Amino acid sequence: MIEQLKPRLDVHNSEMPVLCQACEARHRGICGVLTPSQLVTLSKHTTKQVVSPEQQIAFEGETTKRFANILHGVVKLSKLTADGRQQIVGLQFAPDFMGRPFSKENDYAVEAATEVRLCSFPRSTLEQLTTESPELEHRLHQQTLKELGEAREWMLTLGRKSASERVASFLHFIAMHINPEVSHTHGSQQFEIPLKRSDIADFLGLTIETVSRQFTRMRQAGVIKISNNRTIEIPDMAKLAALTETNIQD
Amino acid sequence: MIEQLKPRLDVHNSEMPVLCQACEARHRGICGVLTPSQLVTLSKHTTKQVVSPEQQIAFEGETTKRFANILHGVVKLSKLTADGRQQIVGLQFAPDFMGRPFSKENDYAVEAATEVRLCSFPRSTLEQLTTESPELEHRLHQQTLKELGEAREWMLTLGRKSASERVASFLHFIAMHINPEVSHTHGSQQFEIPLKRSDIADFLGLTIETVSRQFTRMRQAGVIKISNNRTIEIPDMAKLAALTETNIQD
DNA sequence: CGTAAAATTTGATCCGGATCAACCATCATC
DNA sequence: GATGATGGTTGATCCGGATCAAATTTTACG
């Protein structure tokens, strides 16, 4: 059902300030405002981390000591039952803020789904900044609301949709996040799926076999084209969108 | 699959300020701070509303014009597919804040699950208060984070748990919220289930028949005692908690 | 390149929960 | 008491997706 947890990537011991790759031109040695949608304005003692896929960033249940901005890549949040069944409960994309502020416990595992570049900083920095700037908390609140909306949308998917609808919903979700500027109701799109089949299965509450069969079916139906298992082309987004709430069998 | 939506309860037209039942002794004619866990400090133009079960408070997709504090009762948040499948994506208990601030759209239906007393106020009041007080936004953010945590916990339930585990998880969830001060890992508890079977099914992503069968099974196994379909006694919470992640068949 | 490990696909069978159907209990209204 | 309406339980059958198994493709690396 799940792959065993990999050794933890210790971002906590990397206190040496480094040049933030995303903003070095403007803030030498300090990681500052990166983009208009960047959430946190960082000050000193920031670090950049490169983590490989599957490397664990924080264990479920552990106290959050550091936070980070995602500069590049996709991060998955997942929960486990005692006997090892896994459910991915969220995906985060650049430039999301990562970590649960104000809560002492992470109640899910955080892992890199693809190669990820992070701009990391300690809890104290965040707490100091939020007390100084109400605007910062407002932005964090906005992201939390967005994540809550996505989590609830996904509850509908997990609770009431068939396998074919779940896979269509997944592709629609990924398309929106990988190509946010493009219409997700018309036209064509192309992107790399940032997850392997077992991650998709854990996100959709299905098995890898069922996910694979649904991909095959959608490919045969002409809804998607796949190359290299990861590269997806969707000729007609409207057709895909329709499939997110239409049950297809055999 | 679902019951048809009932006529909307128009809280918007009830602008007449009334005595807030929860705090009249301290703030005559104004709904003020109600309890230590009360989220919003209200000023003028507040109203009190009594809504009956199943009355619709706000439609999915509609712009949120008013917000409210829940003074008593249980409110359910639900989403629908185009063809009418329903999923309850959240339950709110007193003294939760109700409504999505800062987002122009409610993307789910809000209904009273039991009789509910609300302390309602317009969007403008909330926006004014949040700009004046960073502390208020912090409290709202806290609640949003709590709801996000619950939504993600429920994603695990919907995606990876069996019917028996889902029903046990549901009872555990309700027990925690109805009797928050009591241990939910030891001892006994008793409470009224605030939902009917069809609501439970829509919360758990199951059918009413499956929910009913699981209740019967748990009653026969001595994990619960039921009277009047709604009154539940749980002799041993530890046993219930164990069942939330242990699959039981026949 | 060759070989092993990992990831994905495909096939056959099984089973948990959905579906369809009947029945029972409670309550409101005449 | 009769009559629905609403909510809940129980039984029989069916099917979508899980499970078990094996083949195939892709990736990693000497």
Side-chain angles (χ1 to χ4, degrees), chain B residues 48-120:
Chain B
K48 172 177 64 98
Q49 288 294 328
V50 176
V51 294
S52 301
E54 302 309 322
Q55 283 188 298
Q56 183 93 3
I57 297 164
F59 283 127
E60 200 169 356
E62 187 187 340
T63 300
T64 305
K65 288 174 190 145
R66 292 189 72 83
F67 300 92
N69 285 303
I70 300 169
L71 302 182
H72 177 81
V74 178
V75 169
K76 55 181 187 182
L77 313 177
S78 56
K79 294 180 77 79
L80 292 169
T81 60
D83 60 349
R85 285 168 283 171
Q86 184 165 19
Q87 176 67 45
I88 291 181
V89 297
L91 292 178
Q92 297 196 287
F93 301 78
D96 281 351
F97 171 80
M98 217 181 69
R100 287 194 75 172
F102 320 121
S103 105
K104 289 268 187 292
E105 297 293 315
N106 257 346
D107 53 358
Y108 41 76
V110 180
E111 292 171 275
T114 65
E115 181 162 290
V116 167
R117 285 207 317 279
L118 297 179
C119 190
S120 151

Side-chain angles (χ1 to χ4, degrees), chain A residues 8-20:
Chain A
R8 177 180 180 203
L9 175 77
D10 196 348
V11 293
H12 299 201
N13 291 332
S14 309
E15 284 292 342
M16 185 181 68
V18 296
L19 215 60
C20 177

Side-chain angles (χ1 to χ4, degrees), chain A residues 51-78:
Chain A
V51 293
S52 301
E54 302 309 324
Q55 283 190 299
Q56 183 93 4
I57 297 163
F59 283 127
E60 202 169 354
E62 186 187 341
T63 300
T64 305
K65 288 173 189 146
R66 291 188 73 83
F67 300 91
N69 285 302
I70 301 168
L71 302 182
H72 177 81
V74 178
V75 169
K76 54 181 187 183
L77 314 177
S78 57

Side-chain angles (χ1 to χ4, degrees), chain B residues 12-189:
Chain B
H12 299 200
N13 292 331
S14 309
E15 284 292 343
M16 187 180 66
V18 297
L19 217 59
C20 178
Q21 182 169 338
C23 59
E24 52 184 322
R26 285 178 290 159
H27 303 272
R28 207 156 243 292
I30 297 176
C31 188
V33 177
L34 304 182
T35 74
S37 52
Q38 174 73 30
L39 273 172
V40 183
T41 303
L42 299 171
S43 58
K44 280 176 268 190
H45 299 301
T46 59
T47 61
K48 172 177 64 98
Q49 288 294 328
V50 176
V51 294
S52 301
E54 302 309 322
Q55 283 188 298
Q56 183 93 3
I57 297 164
F59 283 127
E60 200 169 356
E62 187 187 340
T63 300
T64 305
K65 288 174 190 145
R66 292 189 72 83
F67 300 92
N69 285 303
I70 300 169
L71 302 182
H72 177 81
V74 178
V75 169
K76 55 181 187 182
L77 313 177
S78 56
K79 294 180 77 79
L80 292 169
T81 60
D83 60 349
R85 285 168 283 171
Q86 184 165 19
Q87 176 67 45
I88 291 181
V89 297
L91 292 178
Q92 297 196 287
F93 301 78
D96 281 351
F97 171 80
M98 217 181 69
R100 287 194 75 172
F102 320 121
S103 105
K104 289 268 187 292
E105 297 293 315
N106 257 346
D107 53 358
Y108 41 76
V110 180
E111 292 171 275
T114 65
E115 181 162 290
V116 167
R117 285 207 317 279
L118 297 179
C119 190
S120 151
F121 47 92
R123 167 179 284 276
S124 60
T125 302
L126 180 76
E127 287 176 344
Q128 184 194 334
L129 286 169
T130 48
T131 53
E132 288 169 3
S133 161
E135 170 63 17
L136 177 58
E137 172 134 27
H138 185 67
R139 288 207 230 162
L140 292 174
H141 191 184
Q142 294 288 357
Q143 177 174 324
T144 307
L145 283 166
K146 191 194 73 163
E147 289 178 19
L148 178 58
E150 288 180 353
R152 286 175 166 164
E153 180 68 38
W154 214 249
M155 287 175 69
L156 177 64
T157 300
L158 293 172
R160 292 304 188 194
K161 291 190 185 177
S162 70
S164 67
E165 292 170 314
R166 293 187 201 198
V167 172
S169 298
F170 169 74
L171 291 174
H172 191 254
F173 175 87
I174 296 297
M176 281 200 304
H177 281 84
I178 298 285
N179 301 323
E181 73 288 350
V182 181
S183 162
H184 48 274
T185 53
H186 313 86
S188 69
Q189 280 199 40

Side-chain angles (χ1 to χ4, degrees), chain B residues 194-205:
Chain B
L195 304 181
K196 57 186 176 185
R197 296 290 185 275
S198 62
D199 285 336
I200 299 173
D202 284 344
F203 193 30
L204 296 175

Side-chain angles (χ1 to χ4, degrees), chain A residues 50-207:
Chain A
V50 176
V51 293
S52 301
E54 302 309 324
Q55 283 190 299
Q56 183 93 4
I57 297 163
F59 283 127
E60 202 169 354
E62 186 187 341
T63 300
T64 305
K65 288 173 189 146
R66 291 188 73 83
F67 300 91
N69 285 302
I70 301 168
L71 302 182
H72 177 81
V74 178
V75 169
K76 54 181 187 183
L77 314 177
S78 57
K79 295 180 77 79
L80 292 170
T81 60
D83 60 349
R85 285 168 283 170
Q86 183 165 17
Q87 176 67 44
I88 292 181
V89 297
L91 292 178
Q92 297 197 286
F93 300 78
D96 281 351
F97 171 81
M98 217 182 68
R100 287 195 76 171
F102 319 122
S103 102
K104 290 269 187 291
E105 298 292 316
N106 257 347
D107 52 359
Y108 40 77
V110 179
E111 292 172 274
T114 64
E115 181 162 290
V116 168
R117 283 208 318 279
L118 297 179
C119 190
S120 150
F121 46 92
R123 168 179 284 276
S124 58
T125 302
L126 180 76
E127 287 176 345
Q128 182 193 337
L129 286 169
T130 49
T131 53
E132 287 170 4
S133 161
E135 169 63 15
L136 176 59
E137 172 133 29
H138 185 67
R139 289 207 230 160
L140 292 174
H141 191 186
Q142 293 290 354
Q143 177 174 325
T144 307
L145 283 166
K146 192 194 73 161
E147 289 178 20
L148 178 58
E150 287 180 356
R152 285 175 167 164
E153 179 68 38
W154 215 248
M155 286 175 70
L156 177 65
T157 300
L158 293 174
R160 292 304 189 194
K161 291 190 185 176
S162 69
S164 67
E165 292 170 314
R166 293 187 200 197
V167 172
S169 298
F170 169 74
L171 291 174
H172 190 255
F173 175 87
I174 296 297
M176 282 200 304
H177 282 83
I178 298 284
N179 302 323
E181 74 289 350
V182 182
S183 163
H184 48 274
T185 54
H186 313 85
S188 69
Q189 281 198 39
Q190 189 180 334
F191 52 87
E192 298 276 307
I193 302 177
L195 305 181
K196 56 185 175 185
R197 297 289 184 275
S198 62
D199 285 336
I200 299 173
D202 284 343
F203 193 31
L204 296 174
L206 300 170
T207 58

Side-chain angles (χ1 to χ4, degrees), chain A residues 162-163 205-207 209-210 213 229 249:
Chain A
S162 69
L206 300 170
T207 58
E209 293 94 331
T210 298
R213 280 184 246 270
N229 285 333
Q249 55 241 18

